Amino acid sequence: MKITVRDIPEEGLEISEAFDPRGMELELRDRVTYQSPLAVKGAATRMDTKVHVWGEARAEVRWWCSRCLEEFNRPFRQKFDLYYFEQSLDSVIDTAASIREEVLLAYPMQSFCRDDCKGLCPRCGLNRNRGKCRCMDTRQNPFGKLKDLL
Ligand SMILES: [Zn+2]
Ligand SMILES: [Zn+2]
């Protein structure tokens, strides 16, 4: 959003805006897609020409589980604090790029559909949250085959 420094009153300026996640390039292929706009709520205050913008960004987001590769929905929330110092009263602050950066940095390196996600079987690729394959049985009993031979 664009804010002219002069327009920020002494008591502060309430900000509320919905960003288009695609236009803002917030989605990551096979990792993060948006189910809603990025809703930003907060406020801007200033001391003379020093401006502080803060608030929270929220969205309904679909993630891909790093372990089992299934998609799941989980709300995203990130607080932000932005400071602008080198301004004049006529400066126009555009917060979009900084908010985008804060949001991208807040994405987890890995996301899990649930804490105890069992992931995929490395041998047969079965989603272990959905059922059991036989691969684990032979691993748990490495002497099974040997015993058959004796
Ligand atoms: Zn998972
Ligand atoms: Zn398996």
Side-chain angles (χ1 to χ4, degrees):
M1 73 208 69
K2 293 189 168 81
I3 305 163
T4 305
V5 173
R6 192 189 299 278
D7 292 346
I8 303 170
E10 210 174 303
E11 68 272 17
L13 184 72
E14 219 175 277
I15 54 172
S16 174
E17 193 167 331
F19 291 96
D20 169 23
R22 279 166 203 105
M24 229 175 160
E25 293 181 37
L26 291 172
E27 300 194 320
L28 303 179
R29 197 162 171 250
D30 295 342
R31 270 189 65 198
V32 184
T33 55
Y34 278 67
Q35 311 287 300
S36 74
L38 182 78
V40 173
K41 281 196 158 85
T45 53
R46 71 178 169 99
M47 286 269 292
D48 191 21
T49 55
K50 294 180 188 68
V51 177
H52 180 200
V53 181
W54 78 96
E56 191 178 50
R58 291 186 192 194
E60 294 301 319
V61 172
R62 178 166 292 177
W63 313 84
W64 270 258
C65 178
S66 310
R67 259 184 221 141
C68 70
L69 311 178
E70 294 279 319
E71 300 170 37
F72 61 97
N73 294 328
R74 187 172 293 158
F76 173 82
R77 278 179 176 211
Q78 180 61 27
K79 289 197 160 81
F80 61 86
D81 268 294
L82 308 171
Y83 296 90
Y84 300 87
F85 295 119
E86 310 281 324
Q87 308 293 324
S88 74
L89 283 175
D90 297 317
S91 298
V92 178
I93 292 166
D94 189 355
T95 56
S98 302
I99 290 174
R100 174 177 188 268
E101 203 171 303
E102 299 276 328
V103 167
L104 291 178
L105 286 172
Y107 290 159
M109 292 294 283
Q110 294 190 304
S111 47
F112 303 113
C113 60
R114 57 190 214 209
D115 287 343
D116 64 344
C117 171
K118 297 188 184 81
L120 302 175
C121 171
R123 276 205 201 168
C124 70
L126 181 104
N127 184 338
R128 287 180 182 147
N129 300 314
R130 295 222 184 111
K132 258 189 163 179
C133 56
R134 298 237 167 151
C135 311
M136 283 306 273
D137 294 344
T138 53
R139 201 193 283 174
Q140 278 165 1
N141 185 9
F143 300 110
K145 253 194 178 160
L146 189 64
K147 218 168 81 186
D148 289 345
L149 291 171
L150 291 170

